Amino acid sequence: MRRILLWMAGNAFLRRWLPRLPFARRAVRRFMPGETIEEALDAAERFRRDGIGILLTHLGENLTSLDQADGVAEHYHRVLGLVRARGLDAEVSLKLTQIGLEERRVFNPVLL
């Protein structure tokens, strides 16, 4: 199942057309209230008012270059800055495979 889902996630046609289908939008609306950082943070503010915890993540895996890992890191830095600016108490879920942990050819881990 994992292999099929990862293939689907990497398929440009499905990535472009599947989110436009009404049944797909209804299925994920509760767990993925937006496709942009701003939409996600707007939803987080609504959830906060209702006492619902907030977990933010960047979807995707399967890096093929160090530039992609750098892009994911930049994305998380931006998200953390926006979370702080809005005063949200949010958790951020970082998938280590998004920064190249599985790809020894791509990433040499350095602890900060």
Side-chain angles (χ1 to χ4, degrees), residues 22-70:
F23 80 90
R25 293 178 78 81
R26 280 191 308 275
V28 301
R29 188 176 334 178
R30 180 175 177 203
F31 304 101
M32 195 174 109
E35 294 185 31
T36 67
I37 296 170
E38 288 74 21
E39 290 172 331
L41 294 175
D42 289 345
E45 287 180 345
R46 290 190 306 273
F47 293 149
R48 175 179 56 183
R49 287 190 297 265
D50 295 334
I52 299 172
I54 302 161
L55 177 67
L56 301 167
T57 190
H58 180 70
L59 299 179
E61 291 186 49
N62 299 328
L63 301 179
T64 58
S65 74
L66 187 56
D67 289 340
Q68 289 174 324
D70 288 341

Side-chain angles (χ1 to χ4, degrees), residues 50-100:
D50 295 334
I52 299 172
I54 302 161
L55 177 67
L56 301 167
T57 190
H58 180 70
L59 299 179
E61 291 186 49
N62 299 328
L63 301 179
T64 58
S65 74
L66 187 56
D67 289 340
Q68 289 174 324
D70 288 341
V72 171
E74 289 172 15
H75 168 82
Y76 277 108
H77 281 280
R78 180 169 179 239
V79 168
L80 290 170
L82 291 169
V83 164
R84 182 180 307 153
R86 290 187 183 213
L88 295 171
D89 182 20
E91 300 289 332
V92 175
S93 172
L94 172 66
K95 292 186 280 280
L96 296 178
T97 55
Q98 287 182 317
I99 57 172

